[in-house]
Amino acid sequence: MKTKSYLSKMAQQLVPYVPGIQPQESGWIKLNTNENPYPPSPMVADVLKSVDYSKLRLYPDSDSTLLMDSVANHLGIQDIQAENIFVGNGSDEVLALAFGAFYGDKKNVHIPDISYGFYPVWAQLSNVGVHTQSLDADFRIDPSKYTDSSGVILANPNAPTGIALTIDEVEKIVQQNPDGVILVDEAYIDFSKEQSAVSLVPKYDNVLVVRTFSKSHSLAGLRVGYAVGQVNLIEGLQRIKHSFNSYPLDMVAQICASASISDKNYWESTRQQIIQTREHTAASLKDIGYASLPSQTNFLLVHVPEAIKLYEFLLSNKILVRYWNKPRLTDFLRVTIGTYEEMEAFLQCVKQY
């Protein structure tokens, strides 16, 4: 029997984001979703052991006060306090709320034509009039193209290219677009040599920086993200949050993320290991004959003619990477940086291919 569709017209028109494969059986080398290959800080394990499970009957702190204080302390900028922090259920939720708060029904919002695949989905949901700006021949964002918009959304470093803008280039985009919010998605900034746009927040009331605990803090499984901005922007995010879900971040996630961000030594150690492994992997791939874009993230975008064939060969050997059958990306594979041992296994498989 044919079933009736009860979807709204808007839901029927959506083109959903397609996440990376998450295999359920063991034995895979998983280099397709940009997760951190190292466990969270040992301080997270200590916190989990001391959780009072009886408190799970209560709603969590809707403002995530402890975590906001921890984030502000981690950033270490005098003019950025807890009131300048917004916490959400993963940076994806923070970004989705930002689309509704600052771009809904607006026209001429600029985003790169190759960037995080969720941006067009959120734009559809919030009825945002997007104007895409093409990356240049080297897959770089050209700041001169971003002018006189009603807002700008960009990932820095960009995904899936891994290429980063300098802080001066980001500030140029801010100065060229005074009438809209400039959202800088810094999911991968901790693996970059470039300065974070958080330093621009005290200077501009239209800069919103969004970050995540999923990458450099190894907490993808908890879903914790945050935004940094002046109070006017934070209040805008809170307005949407309290119209959607007043308790987005659970109690356990709040205390674990607070512990994680407090352990700066562990954070520095693991991110440096990833950076070193990234550079080793890029050099090894170049020796084999496959060049990578200059990444400042925990992944590489590797140029491979007829990339789908290598993707399928790796898949047959239980190694997952990411492939997109999209313009300008069909000859590339995105490879997450795993442990040194995982990357050596990956390189050996590429050599066999």
Side-chain angles (χ1 to χ4, degrees), residues 245-316:
N245 178 11
S246 290
Y247 301 98
L249 201 58
D250 68 76
M251 181 191 77
V252 176
Q254 290 183 36
I255 60 176
C256 286
S258 296
S260 174
I261 204 169
S262 300
D263 193 350
K264 291 190 177 182
N265 289 335
Y266 184 84
W267 167 78
E268 179 65 25
S269 173
T270 54
R271 79 183 190 95
Q272 287 298 336
Q273 287 182 70
I274 290 168
I275 291 170
Q276 291 167 12
T277 306
R278 179 190 72 202
E279 296 307 304
H280 168 74
T281 304
S284 299
L285 284 168
K286 186 176 181 181
D287 289 341
I288 296 170
Y290 296 132
S292 306
L293 297 187
S295 175
Q296 295 195 47
T297 63
N298 67 338
F299 60 82
L300 295 169
L301 192 64
V302 186
H303 182 253
V304 181
E306 297 184 281
I308 185 62
K309 293 183 178 180
L310 177 54
Y311 170 82
E312 291 173 345
F313 181 79
L314 291 166
L315 192 64
S316 69

Side-chain angles (χ1 to χ4, degrees), residues 53-114:
Y53 82 96
S54 69
K55 290 186 177 180
L56 294 177
R57 64 189 174 83
L58 303 173
Y59 284 111
D61 174 9
S62 65
D63 292 324
S64 302
T65 307
L66 172 66
L67 183 52
M68 289 195 302
D69 288 338
S70 298
V71 170
N73 182 65
H74 174 79
L75 294 174
I77 298 176
Q78 183 176 358
D79 293 327
I80 295 179
Q81 304 299 321
E83 65 182 5
N84 301 111
I85 311 297
F86 176 89
V87 176
N89 189 16
S91 62
D92 280 347
E93 181 182 65
V94 178
L95 289 164
L97 295 175
F99 268 75
F102 308 119
Y103 307 110
D105 296 324
K106 288 189 176 181
K107 310 302 178 187
N108 197 35
V109 174
H110 290 198
I111 66 172
D113 66 336
I114 298 175

Side-chain angles (χ1 to χ4, degrees), residues 2 54 64 88 126-127 148 162 172-173 188 209 229 264 329 336:
K2 185 177 181 180
S54 69
S64 302
S126 296
N127 194 31
D148 302 319
K172 179 180 178 180
I173 291 174
Y188 303 100
V209 181
K264 291 190 177 182
L329 293 176
T336 302

Side-chain angles (χ1 to χ4, degrees), residues 147-351:
T147 60
D148 302 319
S149 73
S150 54
V152 175
I153 301 154
L154 54 89
N156 192 48
N158 196 16
T161 66
I163 299 175
L165 294 169
T166 67
I167 190 64
D168 291 338
E169 290 173 319
V170 174
E171 187 165 20
K172 179 180 178 180
I173 291 174
V174 174
Q175 293 171 342
Q176 291 171 168
N177 298 274
D179 298 325
V181 172
I182 312 304
L183 190 157
V184 187
D185 180 356
E186 291 190 340
Y188 303 100
I189 194 67
D190 289 335
F191 305 107
S192 172
K193 69 178 187 295
E194 301 299 343
Q195 184 179 347
S196 168
V198 167
S199 62
L200 300 178
V201 167
K203 296 173 61 178
Y204 300 95
D205 67 358
N206 65 331
V207 173
L208 186 73
V209 181
V210 178
R211 304 185 75 177
T212 180
F213 281 77
S214 295
K215 312 304 181 185
S216 64
H217 292 284
S218 306
L219 291 177
L222 276 189
R223 313 307 301 125
V224 184
Y226 63 95
V228 187
Q230 290 198 23
V231 172
N232 60 319
L233 300 186
I234 300 303
E235 289 177 346
L237 290 171
Q238 290 171 339
R239 183 179 182 87
I240 300 297
K241 182 190 85 167
H242 289 299
S243 301
F244 175 68
N245 178 11
S246 290
Y247 301 98
L249 201 58
D250 68 76
M251 181 191 77
V252 176
Q254 290 183 36
I255 60 176
C256 286
S258 296
S260 174
I261 204 169
S262 300
D263 193 350
K264 291 190 177 182
N265 289 335
Y266 184 84
W267 167 78
E268 179 65 25
S269 173
T270 54
R271 79 183 190 95
Q272 287 298 336
Q273 287 182 70
I274 290 168
I275 291 170
Q276 291 167 12
T277 306
R278 179 190 72 202
E279 296 307 304
H280 168 74
T281 304
S284 299
L285 284 168
K286 186 176 181 181
D287 289 341
I288 296 170
Y290 296 132
S292 306
L293 297 187
S295 175
Q296 295 195 47
T297 63
N298 67 338
F299 60 82
L300 295 169
L301 192 64
V302 186
H303 182 253
V304 181
E306 297 184 281
I308 185 62
K309 293 183 178 180
L310 177 54
Y311 170 82
E312 291 173 345
F313 181 79
L314 291 166
L315 192 64
S316 69
N317 285 275
K318 301 193 79 171
I319 298 176
L320 278 170
V321 297
R322 199 75 194 266
Y323 170 76
W324 291 277
N325 186 19
K326 294 183 177 180
R328 297 188 70 185
L329 293 176
T330 55
D331 286 340
F332 287 88
L333 295 177
R334 193 196 67 191
V335 182
T336 302
I337 302 303
T339 63
Y340 183 84
E341 293 74 19
E342 287 175 329
M343 301 317 295
E344 285 299 295
F346 161 76
L347 289 167
Q348 287 302 316
C349 196
V350 173
K351 289 178 181 178

